[in-house]
Structures are given as C-alpha cells and as structure tokens.
Amino acid sequence: MDNGTIQNRTEPLSPAEAPPRSGTIGSVEHAIELLRCVAEAGAPLGTNDLARRIGLHKSSTSRLAATLEKARLLRRDPATGRFLLGLGLLALAAPLFADFAVADAVEPILAQLAARTGETCSFNVWDGRDSVSIAQVPGSNSVRAFSLPGRRKPGHATATGKILLAHLGEEALSAYCSAPLHRYTDATITDPKALAEDLVRARRQHYAVNVGEYESDVGGIAAAVFDASGRLLGCVTATVPLYRFPPERRAALGEAVIACAGEIAGHLSIHRKAF
C-alpha cells in the first residue's frame, strides 16, 4: 500500500499485480498477450472479455487497449466498439513480408506490370493514417523510383494514399482531415474540400493520380484491390519520375494499374491465407 502498511490477503495475485518474470517487463507482456487474444479470437472483443482473458482489471485493460489503438496496433469495430487487430501491425511486419505469402502471391503479378510499363510497381495497405508498401518490384528503366517495404506515405499526397482514402468512406476521410494536411511540395493538396473532390474523381475513374504532390520530381497512379465481398484489401501503384509522366501517358498507365489490381484481387481470393 502507499502508506507502507501490509494487509492480509487470501486471493491469488492477478497477472497485473504479480511481479514480472525475471528479465521481462510486465506491461509489455500484457500488451503482447492482449494482441494474441485479439488475433486468436476470430471476432471483435470488448474490454470486459479482454480483461477476463488476460487477467487484468477492466480499467487497466481499457488503458492498455487505448494505447495499442493509438499506435494503430488495434482498431475498433465502428458498429460495436469492440477491438480488432490494427493495420499498424502490417507496417511493423512489412520489412519481413518478402519471406511470407503476401509478397509471394502479389510479386509475380507486380513484376508483369513493371515489365509492361518499365516503372516501379508496389502493393500497399492502409494502416489507419498512412499507406504502407508491403511488396515492390523495381521498374526496368535506368531512372526509377524505389522505396523499401514498410515505408509509410501520407494519404493526401500520394496516389497510393488517395485511392485507399477514396474507398474508406466519409467517416475515415473526416477523421483523416481532422488534423492539418501537411504540405510536402507546392503541388500538395492541403484543403480538405479540394482533397474530397480529388477522391471523388479517383473513385469515378477507378484510379488516383499524384503529380509531384509528395516529392516534386515523382508521380504515381494507383488502383484499389478488393476481395470478392467488396472489402478493400489494398492497392497497386506505379511510381514514375515526373519527366516520364505527361498527361497523355496517365490514362494508359491507369488502365494498366486497374488491370493489375483485378488480377491481384482474383489471385488473393484463391489464396485467402496469403492475406
């Protein structure tokens, strides 16, 4: 107790009160256990259920879950408020995905797109605030854009981010625009109304375009990938040095990226365990 007194107790210590095992940190162990519970549940879990499963008080569990949610390692089901795994986990694991099934499933299709266009092509997912590249195939041109898997890119300033935002719904867009839209170049869209109009255009033409909005000498085109039920899985992007990205080339690249996104959607629907 805070006053230094000792009280008799017959109940066993809870995991929150028990000393951590030698060489470990208790709060980290609880966070790991919470994530494992959510991963293994197969359905969203509420705070009471999580507290019971990991042996913590409800208030401690609520604070822990809120911390993990802020880090995008958990997310809430908008209908129930229960917790699911967050896409921030993908961002953490993305550098390892080259060894796993997702990259194995999409890279051959990305390679075909890279060969047809000569440009660097990638598969990307949304982690709650940014897009994250989890697989990439470099283009064949001597000058090409490239970034390592796991790199985050802003939603409002890249083709990748914009096409994902375009299909996440009004609530997600409103949440995204609740913070100021950072200006990266003179071409960056920083007005929420202008961004919303650009996303409407992206949905209508089935691809989003970035013309020097994140890096002044780089452009890109991205198309969304959906599963058979219409759930957004991610997107395919072709990243292009701006000098090779005149207006007359963008429509053709857009059609190529849309076709690739359709191929990946079909492939992932066959290999559901890959995603």
Side-chain angles (χ1 to χ4, degrees), residues 217-248:
D217 57 349
V218 177
I221 282 189
V225 176
F226 302 94
D227 68 10
S229 66
R231 180 172 65 100
L232 180 66
L233 298 178
C235 69
V236 173
T237 305
T239 306
V240 188
L242 212 56
Y243 77 91
R244 283 203 305 268
F245 201 47
E248 58 269 21

Side-chain angles (χ1 to χ4, degrees), residues 27-63:
S27 59
V28 176
E29 289 185 340
H30 296 318
I32 293 169
E33 185 60 26
L34 191 153
L35 290 171
R36 283 178 176 159
C37 285
V38 176
E40 294 168 0
L45 294 177
T47 303
N48 288 339
D49 204 4
L50 283 169
R52 185 177 68 254
R53 293 186 185 213
I54 66 177
L56 281 176
H57 294 299
K58 180 182 176 182
S59 60
S60 298
T61 302
S62 179
R63 289 194 300 271

Side-chain angles (χ1 to χ4, degrees), residues 84-156:
L84 300 147
L85 291 181
L87 291 177
L89 291 167
L90 288 176
L92 291 177
L96 301 177
F97 277 178
D99 297 328
F100 298 148
V102 174
D104 290 342
V106 304
E107 279 184 356
I109 304 173
L110 291 176
Q112 294 173 19
L113 179 62
R116 288 197 301 270
T117 63
E119 308 298 350
T120 296
C121 299
S122 60
F123 182 75
N124 313 267
V125 297
W126 185 252
D127 83 339
R129 182 72 190 174
D130 306 304
S131 68
V132 181
S133 168
I134 64 172
Q136 191 170 83
V137 176
S140 58
N141 288 303
S142 57
V143 178
R144 62 196 181 195
F146 187 78
S147 62
L148 292 173
R151 183 183 179 189
R152 288 183 171 91
K153 296 181 180 179
H156 66 288

